[in-house]
């Protein structure tokens, strides 16, 4: 009687393995919560109003907001009137970082957004769905004395979304609108000492103030994240090689379920490989897009595994072990993944050459993006309906099999009751992992980012990232270890003697269970042919 390790391992050993995995899971959460800083930092930058009277703005001259070569500045828009400075000659200049800070390639990415500050005027109100055109330039330099090098220059349209909370009357003139943040740029944080952003606004009402926010990944969190990837990569790779070696040592060819578990290990290894280390020394602008693609491949493989894992425990011998039998269930995964891939290519793919681009800034782009997301959401709902139905079918098949257990000897009955319990336990662990992912995501969105218990500060968002990342690695590790073929191949006499099985009962079990090749005894036990 051969099967998977999970079926031949004693309860004591199984509890030890589970305890070890639980310890590593707790460590993964603690690493993010106690060691790593918050995942991201937002730094506010107040733009400086520089005067640039040249017709071709930003082509040959970069306007520094401060320092020895600072630009000709004005304090407010009223100062421009007596000096006969036109609105189009005012350039809002933002220097990143602040004078007391430094940039680092450990930031990984830099997202810049703007907050407008426009006063209400009764005779010049901001109309609904107004659009502003911005002439935006981005430059960088590698040291404090080098010349600025242009990285990108674009005239970008932006929809203005604002509200005026007070009544629009004469006595409220001069009060300010409340504006939604405006996306400006997203790009990799390369080996730059500093960045310079120039913004010229083309609008009927020139803003008094541009307050910008630069959001980047914390360097300390990046180092912890890279260290986790470096540690987990060989762990998953070694167990994957060991798992496939056990499969190939068997006399039969691998079945579909074993191939899918191996493919899941490959996708986990692919997402673990710490190629991000090279981004510290090389300016690889495609790393953000590459990271999205790796995550998409893993999650698509994980969703496919759950479907096939359930299906292989409920289908009959004719349908089992064929990927074509799952086209209805895997189809929504493929369609949804393809829609999200196209959406990501239309957003971050274009940002590789134009960091100011966003698919959400135009009506057509917004409708296209919503179409991709809605189709992916529909596919996800269909997938979960299929999955819930298949899980119900599996448990119904197992319940039907349990009716034949009382006819067995006590030892044999206890053996199969243990197998069924462990299979159900694995299903519950899978649901728990999915639930923890959703719960921690919600908690990270509604909390302030950290909790304080006495003198200890716990970074909730960092704990979410490291804990959930470690959890799925441990999940894949446990699958490949527990579902690898067991080396315990008992002889017929020894097997019957150990389990207290009489010859008649063994004949019954042989004709209903063991003639079907499969990775586990539960795999054989739950097929429809045996139930019928």
């Amino acid at each position: 009687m051969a099967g998977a390790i999970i079926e031949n391992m004693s309860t004591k050993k199984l509890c030890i393995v589970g305890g070890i995995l639980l310890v590593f899971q707790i460590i993964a959460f603690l690493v993010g919560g106690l060691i790593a800083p918050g995942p991201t930092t937002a730094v506010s930058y107040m733009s400086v109003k520089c005067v640039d009277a040249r017709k071709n703005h930003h082509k040959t001259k970069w306007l520094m907001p401060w320092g020895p070569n600072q630009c000709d500045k004005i304090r407010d828009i009223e100062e421009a009137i007596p000096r006969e400075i036109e609105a189009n000659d005012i350039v809002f200049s933002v220097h990143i970082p602040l004078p007391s800070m430094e940039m680092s390639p450990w930031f990984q990415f830099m997202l810049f957004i703007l907050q407008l500050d426009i006063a209400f005027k009764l005779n010049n109100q901001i109309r609904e769905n107004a659009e502003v055109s911005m002439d935006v330039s981005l430059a960088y330099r590698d040291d404090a004395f080098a010349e600025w090098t242009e990285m990108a220059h674009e005239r970008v349209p932006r929809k203005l979304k604002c509200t005026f909370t007070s009544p629009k009357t004469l006595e409220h003139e001069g009060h300010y609108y409340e504006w939604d943040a405006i996306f400006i740029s997203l790009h990799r944080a390369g080996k730059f000492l500093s960045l310079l952003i120039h913004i010229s606004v083309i609008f009927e009402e020139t803003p008094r103030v541009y307050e910008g926010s630069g959001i980047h990944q914390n360097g300390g969190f990046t180092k912890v994240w890279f260290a986790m990837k470096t540690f987990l990569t060989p762990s998953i790779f070694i167990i994957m090689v060991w798992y496939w070696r056990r499969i190939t040592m068997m006399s039969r060819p691998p079945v579909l379920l074993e191939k899918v578990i191996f493919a899941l290990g490959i996708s986990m290894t692919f997402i673990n490989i710490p190629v991000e280390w090279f981004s510290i020394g090389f300016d690889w602008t495609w790393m953000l897009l590459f990271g999205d693609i790796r995550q998409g491949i893993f999650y698509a493989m994980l969703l496919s595994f759950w479907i096939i894992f359930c299906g292989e425990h409920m289908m009959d011998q004719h349908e089992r072990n064929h990927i074509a039998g799952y086209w209805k269930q895997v189809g929504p995964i493929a369609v949804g993944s393809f829609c999200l891939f196209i959406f990501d290519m239309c957003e971050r793919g274009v940002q590789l050459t134009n960091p100011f681009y966003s698919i959400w800034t135009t009506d057509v782009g917004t409708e296209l993006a919503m179409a991709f997301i809605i189709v992916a959401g529909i596919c996800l709902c269909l997938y979960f309906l299929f999955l819930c139905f298949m899980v119900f079918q599996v448990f119904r098949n197992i319940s039907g099999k349990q009716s034949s257990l009382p006819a067995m000897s006590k030892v044999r009955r206890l053996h199969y009751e243990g197998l069924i319990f462990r299979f159900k336990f694995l299903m519950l662990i899978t649901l728990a992992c999915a639930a923890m992912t959703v719960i921690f995501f919600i908690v990270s969105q509604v909390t302030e980012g950290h909790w304080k218990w006495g003198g200890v500060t716990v970074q909730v968002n960092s704990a979410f990232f490291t804990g959930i990342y470690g959890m799925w690695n441990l999940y894949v590790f446990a699958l490949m270890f527990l579902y690898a073929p067991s080396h315990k191949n008992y002889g017929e006499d020894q097997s019957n003697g150990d389990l207290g099985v009489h010859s008649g009962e063994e004949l019954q079990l042989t004709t209903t269970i063991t003639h079907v090749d499969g990775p586990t005894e539960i795999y054989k036990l739950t097929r429809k042919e045996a139930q019928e």
Side-chain angles (χ1 to χ4, degrees):
M1 180 182 61
I5 290 178
I6 189 175
E7 297 176 337
N8 291 282
M9 181 182 291
S10 65
T11 303
K12 179 180 178 181
K13 292 181 179 178
L14 191 59
C15 291
I16 293 175
V17 172
I20 294 174
L21 294 177
L22 181 60
V23 169
F24 278 105
Q25 178 62 78
I26 295 174
I27 292 174
F29 278 110
L30 293 179
V31 165
L34 301 179
I35 298 177
T40 58
T41 294
V43 181
S44 296
Y45 300 93
M46 190 64 69
S47 64
V48 174
K49 291 173 279 295
C50 295
V51 178
D52 183 10
R54 294 172 295 110
K55 293 183 179 181
N56 297 322
H57 299 285
H58 327 314
K59 295 299 182 181
T60 59
K61 180 182 178 183
W62 293 93
L63 308 175
M64 277 288 293
W66 42 263
N69 299 318
Q70 59 185 283
C71 64
D72 179 16
K73 297 181 288 187
I74 58 175
R75 289 172 296 179
D76 49 42
I77 301 301
E78 283 73 14
E79 185 181 338
I81 297 176
R83 294 177 58 181
E84 298 182 350
I85 299 174
E86 297 181 1
N88 290 342
D89 295 332
I90 300 175
V91 176
F92 294 86
S93 181
V94 179
H95 185 279
I96 302 175
L98 296 173
S100 58
M101 298 181 179
E102 294 182 355
M103 288 193 65
S104 169
W106 293 102
F107 290 172
Q108 291 297 289
F109 69 88
M110 178 65 71
L111 171 65
F112 194 78
I113 58 178
L114 282 182
Q115 188 73 38
L116 300 183
D117 195 358
I118 300 180
F120 167 72
K121 290 185 178 181
L122 191 62
N123 60 351
N124 190 15
Q125 300 182 27
I126 305 298
R127 65 180 184 273
E128 188 177 355
N129 295 323
E131 184 175 289
V132 61
S133 181
M134 297 182 179
D135 191 274
V136 189
S137 297
L138 180 65
Y140 71 92
R141 64 182 181 184
D142 298 328
D143 60 73
F145 304 100
E147 294 293 329
W148 290 100
T149 302
E150 184 175 272
M151 182 185 300
H153 174 253
E154 193 78 18
R155 176 166 290 188
V156 294
R158 291 292 185 265
K159 292 287 185 180
L160 298 181
K161 296 180 180 179
C162 64
T163 57
F164 192 69
T165 56
S166 303
K168 294 183 178 181
T169 57
L170 184 61
E171 57 267 21
H172 293 101
E173 194 171 76
H175 293 192
Y176 290 94
Y177 290 90
E178 295 181 0
W179 295 88
D180 291 346
I182 300 176
F183 168 83
I184 293 297
S185 66
L186 174 65
H187 55 86
R188 282 277 304 170
K191 299 184 297 180
F192 312 134
L193 177 67
S194 55
L195 294 172
L196 189 64
I197 300 177
H198 281 175
I199 303 172
S200 296
V201 64
I202 304 172
F203 192 54
E204 59 265 22
E205 180 65 25
T206 302
R208 290 179 177 272
V209 178
Y210 270 145
E211 182 179 355
S213 293
I215 303 173
H216 61 81
Q217 185 166 298
N218 274 327
F221 177 82
T222 303
K223 294 175 182 178
V224 172
W225 189 255
F226 287 6
M228 282 195 67
K229 281 177 165 281
T230 305
F231 171 77
L232 291 172
T233 298
S235 304
I236 298 298
F237 181 76
I238 290 173
I239 193 68
M240 183 180 64
V241 172
W242 173 85
Y243 170 80
W244 192 247
R245 181 175 177 273
R246 286 238 174 177
I247 297 296
T248 55
M249 290 174 61
M250 302 187 69
S251 57
R252 60 170 176 80
V255 297
L256 178 61
L257 182 58
E258 293 168 336
K259 294 177 182 178
V260 172
I261 293 177
F262 181 67
L264 185 62
I266 293 177
S267 64
M268 191 77 256
T269 303
F270 182 55
I271 201 175
N272 282 342
I273 297 176
V275 294
E276 291 87 352
W277 283 111
F278 294 101
S279 66
I280 305 302
F282 300 95
D283 188 19
W284 288 353
T285 58
W286 45 266
M287 283 301 300
L288 293 176
L289 179 62
F290 183 62
D292 289 346
I293 293 174
R294 290 197 296 177
Q295 290 186 38
I297 292 174
F298 170 73
Y299 284 117
M301 195 65 243
L302 182 64
L303 297 178
S304 301
F305 163 75
W306 287 342
I307 282 289
I308 295 174
F309 180 79
C310 294
E312 290 296 281
H313 287 87
M314 62 172 284
M315 290 187 174
D316 57 29
Q317 181 62 17
H318 177 70
E319 296 172 323
R320 184 179 285 176
N321 203 28
H322 295 86
I323 187 64
Y326 298 96
W327 68 271
K328 292 181 181 179
Q329 296 86 356
V330 178
I333 301 175
V335 174
S337 300
F338 179 75
C339 289
L340 293 179
F341 172 74
I342 297 298
F343 167 76
D344 209 34
M345 291 299 296
C346 292
E347 179 76 3
R348 291 197 172 175
V350 178
Q351 286 172 353
L352 294 178
T353 56
N354 181 10
F356 309 120
Y357 175 82
S358 176
I359 194 174
W360 301 99
T361 57
T362 61
D363 293 335
V364 175
T366 299
E367 293 176 359
L368 186 63
M370 288 302 300
F372 284 134
I373 294 175
I374 290 173
V375 171
I378 293 174
C379 292
L380 185 62
C381 292
L382 291 175
Y383 166 82
F384 276 107
L385 288 176
F386 282 127
L387 182 62
C388 293
F389 175 74
M390 296 180 75
V391 170
F392 169 77
Q393 290 286 87
V394 171
F395 277 88
R396 190 184 68 174
N397 285 359
I398 291 178
S399 298
K401 285 299 174 181
Q402 287 178 314
S403 61
S404 63
L405 295 182
M408 301 180 183
S409 64
K410 181 179 179 180
V411 177
R412 190 75 172 182
R413 185 179 71 254
L414 293 175
H415 173 69
Y416 278 102
E417 286 177 349
L419 298 182
I420 293 173
F421 169 77
R422 295 178 186 190
F423 173 80
K424 291 183 177 180
F425 182 75
L426 180 63
M427 297 294 293
L428 293 176
I429 289 296
T430 299
L431 293 176
C433 290
M436 285 181 62
T437 302
V438 175
I439 291 172
F440 272 88
F441 175 77
I442 295 174
V443 170
S444 66
Q445 297 300 308
V446 300
T447 60
E448 296 180 354
H450 62 272
W451 293 341
K452 287 189 176 181
W453 290 334
V456 179
T457 300
V458 179
Q459 295 291 339
V460 178
N461 292 344
S462 297
F464 164 74
F465 282 109
T466 60
I468 298 303
Y469 176 62
M471 181 189 70
W472 287 118
N473 272 274
L474 293 173
Y475 179 80
V476 174
F477 183 96
L479 279 177
M480 289 190 289
F481 175 73
L482 296 177
Y483 273 81
S486 175
H487 67 279
K488 295 181 179 179
N489 294 309
Y490 302 105
E492 182 178 357
D493 296 338
Q494 183 181 357
S495 176
N496 293 349
D498 291 342
L499 297 177
V501 180
H502 302 290
S503 59
E505 184 179 337
E506 178 63 24
L507 178 62
Q508 178 188 5
L509 290 170
T510 301
T511 56
T512 59
I513 297 174
T514 58
H515 75 283
V516 181
D517 286 335
T520 66
E521 291 185 71
I522 288 292
Y523 179 91
K524 307 165 188 176
L525 182 67
T526 57
R527 78 185 198 280
K528 289 182 179 178
E529 286 181 352
Q531 186 176 9
E532 294 170 356

